[in-house]
Amino acid sequence: DIVMTQSPSSLAVSAGETVTINCKSSQSLFGSVRQKNYLAWYQQKPGQSPKLLIYLASTRESGVPDRFIGSGSGTDFTLTISSVQAEDLANYYCQQYYDTPYTFGAGTKLELK
Amino acid sequence: EVQLVETGGGLVQPGRSLKLSCVASGFTFSSYWMYWIRQAPGKGLEWVSSINTDGGSTYYPDSVKGRFTISRDNAENTVYLQMNSLRSEDTATYYCAKEIFGVFYWGQGVMVTVSS
């Protein structure tokens, strides 16, 4: 199984700051046929189910604000949230879908400083 | 709009059984693989089972293989999870999810607590 490692596990921020969450996979998620990275990011607010933010490493889901930016390739990926707002306080998970079983990172908790 | 509504959770004693249901709407249910994914309290996300479009193929991790059974009724737009021989470590919120090209759209989840 592909192991997904996220860092940091938690992050305390002030509103307006830019934050970066990292996700590393145990093998490359780059598919040579479509030339895409099979990596998604989800946001889970307290008491809610996860919500898809980004797929194919950098494509925002419809309706997701453009302050959420996904980047990276191969085994190293980043979710950047620019100008964090109070509504962004949540847990964030990366997920690989290069190979089954699809696997998730352990999550990063974004908290208010 | 995709809607997935899970029911059937609750408190159950170790060794007993429970069956979860998930009713789907807002999309052509029979065209998509469906998943159950769980989240233990304060923990991360764990794939529990998956089923192909016609229900002919099912998949499980070793942690639940032989105890859990996923099934679907495309006429009723419903996916099920039969959970037998429940253990305390099965305590979690169980999410039903629609899978499209490897990414997930989630229901609101249902809590299962295994305790005596």
Side-chain angles (χ1 to χ4, degrees), chain A residues 28-71:
Chain A
S28 176
L29 305 183
F30 184 75
S32 56
V33 173
R34 290 183 65 195
Q35 298 284 294
K36 300 287 186 182
N37 287 281
Y38 296 98
L39 188 283
W41 290 96
Y42 298 86
Q43 177 193 62
Q44 185 179 30
K45 295 182 179 180
Q48 296 186 17
S49 57
K51 170 191 167 186
L52 178 65
L53 290 179
I54 287 171
Y55 57 95
L56 294 176
S58 60
T59 303
R60 270 186 299 275
E61 173 74 343
S62 175
V64 172
D66 59 8
R67 63 179 181 275
F68 292 91
I69 301 166
S71 62

Side-chain angles (χ1 to χ4, degrees), chain B residues 4-5 7 19-25 29-30 34 36 51 70-81 96:
Chain B
L4 299 166
V5 179
T7 57
K19 187 173 185 176
L20 307 181
S21 300
C22 169
V23 177
S25 60
F29 179 74
S30 59
M34 295 298 295
W36 287 96
I51 188 167
I70 189 172
S71 61
R72 67 190 296 162
D73 183 339
N74 285 343
E76 297 293 328
N77 288 352
T78 302
V79 60
Y80 304 97
L81 185 66
C96 163

Side-chain angles (χ1 to χ4, degrees), chain B residues 31-82:
Chain B
S31 296
Y32 294 91
W33 283 55
M34 295 298 295
Y35 278 63
W36 287 96
I37 298 168
R38 69 184 178 185
Q39 185 173 38
K43 301 297 184 182
L45 300 162
E46 180 190 16
W47 162 64
V48 172
S49 62
S50 49
I51 188 167
N52 72 341
T53 55
D54 66 7
S57 295
T58 58
Y59 303 88
Y60 309 91
D62 288 345
S63 57
V64 307
K65 195 175 293 182
R67 299 189 299 122
F68 289 12
T69 302
I70 189 172
S71 61
R72 67 190 296 162
D73 183 339
N74 285 343
E76 297 293 328
N77 288 352
T78 302
V79 60
Y80 304 97
L81 185 66
Q82 175 68 48

Side-chain angles (χ1 to χ4, degrees), chain A residues 1-4 25-40 42 55-57 73-75 77 94-104, chain B residues 35 99-104:
Chain A
D1 297 2
I2 297 176
V3 177
M4 305 299 292
S25 57
S26 62
Q27 66 184 76
S28 176
L29 305 183
F30 184 75
S32 56
V33 173
R34 290 183 65 195
Q35 298 284 294
K36 300 287 186 182
N37 287 281
Y38 296 98
L39 188 283
Y42 298 86
Y55 57 95
L56 294 176
S73 184
T75 61
F77 301 90
C94 60
Q95 176 229 331
Q96 67 80 19
Y97 52 106
Y98 178 85
D99 194 14
T100 56
Y102 301 145
T103 48
F104 297 89
Chain B
Y35 278 63
E99 183 246 313
I100 176 166
F101 300 124
V103 299
F104 298 107

